[in-house]
Amino acid sequence: MVVVRMVAGAGSVLAMLSLSGCGLLWSCTDSTAERGEAEVRVEIVDTDERPAGVTAEVTGWRREPHPQVPEEGDQIHFGVRFEGAGRGIDPAVDACAVDEKRVVLGCQTVYSVLDFGRDTTDTVDGYLAVDHPERVAEVLLIPNDQSSQDRRTCEDDMKDGGGVHPPDTPGRGERL
């Protein structure tokens, strides 16, 4: 008899909580933004595909050994310039070395620190380790801001997670 009363009572409590807006199940959804078109110069967009107020441009690239690990052979040394006032973000974009058919040979997320509120410029550089550096035809940037990549998901935190997340960094062999 005690079990029956507890189950009946639990149903009433759940109904009251649901009707009062205090449901036990959080409405948490995750989604991924659609990847933008990769180019040498891009206007960075947030996860809602709104312009972030910052552009990024590949300033150049070349094959050369990384100075700290020259024994690993040639890598792709590239530069990226970030410009703009932004909307309160420290932007980050994926830089990808591609072959002549725009097949990804390697990617890396590149971060910038801009002085927001004023138009400003920040130049960063990096090295991409690729299997066949001689096949690299260009370095492209993907316009999606990656700075919020570490946001919690519904799986991590049902109450505070969720929302739109940046697209995954392209993998080797993907075509941009």
Side-chain angles (χ1 to χ4, degrees):
M1 291 283 199
V2 173
V3 173
V4 173
R5 285 188 195 144
M6 280 181 32
V7 171
S12 298
V13 170
L14 287 175
M16 276 186 2
L17 285 173
S18 294
L19 290 174
S20 68
C22 298
L24 293 177
L25 297 176
W26 299 104
S27 178
C28 188
T29 58
D30 283 315
S31 61
T32 302
E34 187 173 320
R35 185 181 296 153
E37 183 71 25
E39 299 293 338
V40 172
R41 180 179 168 83
V42 297
E43 184 173 2
I44 300 174
V45 294
D46 64 18
T47 54
D48 294 324
E49 298 183 22
R50 295 178 304 188
V54 178
T55 59
E57 180 177 12
V58 176
T59 58
W61 66 272
R62 62 189 174 276
R63 281 191 312 263
E64 66 183 24
H66 189 289
Q68 294 175 338
V69 286
E71 65 278 1
E72 291 181 5
D74 282 346
Q75 294 186 17
I76 305 304
H77 183 199
F78 65 95
V80 176
R81 181 176 52 243
F82 292 89
E83 294 182 307
R87 290 187 298 113
I89 62 164
D90 288 331
V93 293
D94 287 328
C96 299
V98 298
D99 68 11
E100 61 190 26
K101 294 181 182 178
R102 294 176 64 114
V103 173
V104 173
L105 302 172
C107 291
Q108 172 183 316
T109 302
V110 181
Y111 296 85
S112 174
V113 178
L114 294 175
D115 183 12
F116 288 101
R118 293 181 285 187
D119 281 337
T120 187
T121 302
D122 184 26
T123 304
V124 298
D125 71 331
Y127 283 84
L128 280 165
V130 298
D131 290 335
H132 298 283
E134 70 281 356
R135 291 181 37 206
V136 174
E138 61 186 332
V139 175
L140 301 176
L141 302 174
I142 298 174
N144 304 87
D145 178 34
Q146 295 291 323
S147 65
S148 62
Q149 183 72 291
D150 61 352
R151 263 191 10 211
R152 289 180 279 197
T153 65
C154 291
E155 187 176 296
D156 297 331
D157 186 342
M158 189 63 114
K159 180 177 173 257
D160 298 321
V164 181
H165 301 277
D168 292 335
T169 299
R172 291 180 185 194
E174 280 188 58
R175 191 169 184 176
L176 299 180

